[in-house]
Amino acid sequence: NQGQPAESPDGNYIVFQAEDPTHPYPSLHNPAEPGGGVWNNLWVMDLRDDNVYQLTTVYIGASYTSGSLHPHFSHDGTKIAWGDREGASTEVLGNWRLAVADFVETPTPHLANTVYYDPGDNTNHWLEMSSWSLDDSEIYISCSCTTGQDDSTMDVVKVNLGSSAWTRITTTSGV
């Protein structure tokens, strides 16, 4: 499975997620589909020469499995943000956090200086990257960030990258 493509602002790259072929459950594809992100690494394709480069490596273990979901370039093309599945979780959809890293083009495309944000007071929650603010100082996500909130009733949340403060934009009835 491969999907969730996003183009860099200069049109030189496409970032996408792809199922790791070495995960231990090859017949179990639903969680690994692009909308699920489990067992998915981030990759980038250089559209000038069609070369692809792996940007992340998922952890595949007995107690938990990581993943990547919905990568997006910042408006200036210097960063990539995505949903990052972390640690063991009692939630059906897993425990996700927001990851933001510098996108470095040389000597080969790679990520550096990854920073993780875990907005909300819900310790195990679903999170999807949605978009960057116009000045790239904030990120909009969809998440179940409030304690007791069901993963199927996500809210739109704004995360300030400088302060890590989060602001709930919408309020669901799923709490």
Side-chain angles (χ1 to χ4, degrees):
N1 286 304
Q2 302 155 358
Q4 305 293 346
E7 186 176 13
S8 63
D10 61 10
N12 290 335
Y13 297 98
I14 295 280
V15 64
F16 61 96
Q17 62 190 75
E19 180 180 357
D20 191 305
T22 65
H23 74 77
Y25 307 102
S27 62
L28 187 60
H29 288 291
N30 286 349
E33 289 176 354
V38 178
W39 305 306
N40 277 221
N41 291 302
L42 294 186
W43 289 76
V44 68
M45 174 184 267
D46 188 327
L47 296 174
R48 297 165 294 189
D49 60 15
D50 292 336
N51 285 325
V52 294
Y53 303 91
Q54 187 171 342
L55 300 177
T56 63
T57 302
V58 293
Y59 174 79
I60 300 171
S63 61
Y64 78 93
T65 300
S66 63
S68 304
L69 187 61
H70 295 287
H72 292 273
F73 280 97
S74 58
H75 291 96
D76 65 8
T78 64
K79 295 187 180 299
I80 293 176
W82 68 97
D84 179 73
R85 188 174 197 261
E86 60 157 339
S89 173
T90 58
E91 297 298 313
V92 172
L93 300 176
N95 185 24
W96 293 79
R97 60 188 172 179
L98 176 65
V100 180
D102 294 332
F103 177 65
V104 183
E105 295 183 64
T106 59
T108 60
H110 63 281
L111 299 176
N113 306 314
T114 304
V115 177
Y116 299 99
Y117 300 86
D118 203 1
D121 54 19
N122 190 358
T123 56
N124 287 306
H125 58 81
W126 175 248
L127 179 148
E128 290 183 354
M129 166 62 187
S130 295
S131 66
W132 292 80
S133 64
L134 292 177
D135 66 358
D136 291 333
S137 67
E138 297 173 316
I139 292 180
Y140 294 91
I141 61 172
S142 298
C143 71
S144 55
C145 295
T146 302
T147 300
Q149 186 173 6
D150 186 88
D151 285 342
S152 64
T153 60
M154 296 185 290
D155 285 315
V156 176
V157 170
K158 176 176 63 175
V159 179
N160 182 294
L161 300 181
S163 68
S164 299
W166 62 283
T167 306
R168 201 166 162 191
I169 306 297
T170 62
T171 303
T172 69
S173 61
V175 176

